[in-house]
Amino acid sequence: MKIDILTLFPNMFDGVFSESIIKRAIQNNKVEINLHDFRDFTDDPHNKVDDTPYGGGAGMVLMAQPIYDCVESLKSDDSFIILMTPDGVSYKQSMAYDLSKKKHIIIICGHYEGFDERIRNLCDLEVSIGDYVLTGGEIPSMAIVDSVVRLLPGVINEQSHMEDSFNNSLLDYPTYTKPRVFRGMEVPDVLLSGDHKKIDEYRYREAFNKTKSRRPDLLEK
Ligand code: ADE
C-alpha cells in the first residue's frame, strides 16, 4: 500500500512514523508513506496557500489551487482520496478494514479556519475522528494511518485483529498478566482454570457487560 499525505506541517509526522509498528511496517515494505507540503504547489508569487473568505468572516481559508495541483500530481486510477474534516463521517473500525484493502490512499489535511468548499469535489470520502475540533487534519490523519497500517497483512499478528475492540460490535474483554496478585488485586480464578470453554464464556460475558454499560449504541446494531 502507498499513502500520500498532503499537509503544511510535514514535520509533525516525524515521531509517529519513526517508532514502533508503523516504523517496522515501512522498513519491511508493507507500506510506503510520503508527506507532501502543498505549499510547494502554490502558483501564488508570495507562496500563499490561504486567503480571506468571500462574504466576509473570521480567519483564513485554504485555497483550492495548491491542493488540486498536488493531488493531480499524485493521483492514478487506484487512488482513494480522503479529506480530514470535523464535518466528515465518523471514523469507525469497519472503515479501517475497508481502507486497508486499497492500493493507494491520498489524505488531505485541512488547516487554519477552513478550506475552500471546492476541495471537497476532489475527495472520495470526508472523515472526522470525533465530535471535537482540532487545529488541523494532521493528528486525525495519523490516527487513520495507524489504524489502517496495523491491519495490513504481515504487520501484526492477525489473531490480535480478531480480538480487537469493535469486532463483533463488542468492546475488548479484560486481560491480565503476571503476577497473579498485584497490590491485593487478583486475577480472576477462571483465567487460571485451564478450562477454555469457561474462559471463552467469561470473556464474552465481560465484553458484553462492558459494552452494555459504556457503549449501548454498539449493541443496538
Ligand atoms: N480537523 C480538525 N478536527 C478534526 C476532526 N475531529 N476530525 C478530522 N479532521 C479534523
Side-chain angles (χ1 to χ4, degrees), residues 160-192:
S160 309
H161 305 164
M162 290 175 359
E163 292 171 2
D164 282 342
S165 277
F166 308 111
N167 268 343
N168 313 319
S169 299
L170 289 181
L171 300 178
D172 211 355
Y173 55 74
T175 50
Y176 298 85
T177 187
K178 295 181 180 66
R180 186 176 170 174
V181 182
F182 174 69
R183 299 196 180 181
M185 295 176 278
E186 289 184 28
V187 173
D189 285 342
V190 62
L191 296 178
L192 309 162

Side-chain angles (χ1 to χ4, degrees), residues 84-86 127-130 132-134 136-137 140:
M84 304 310 310
T85 171
V127 174
S128 163
I129 60 158
Y132 41 82
V133 179
L134 301 170

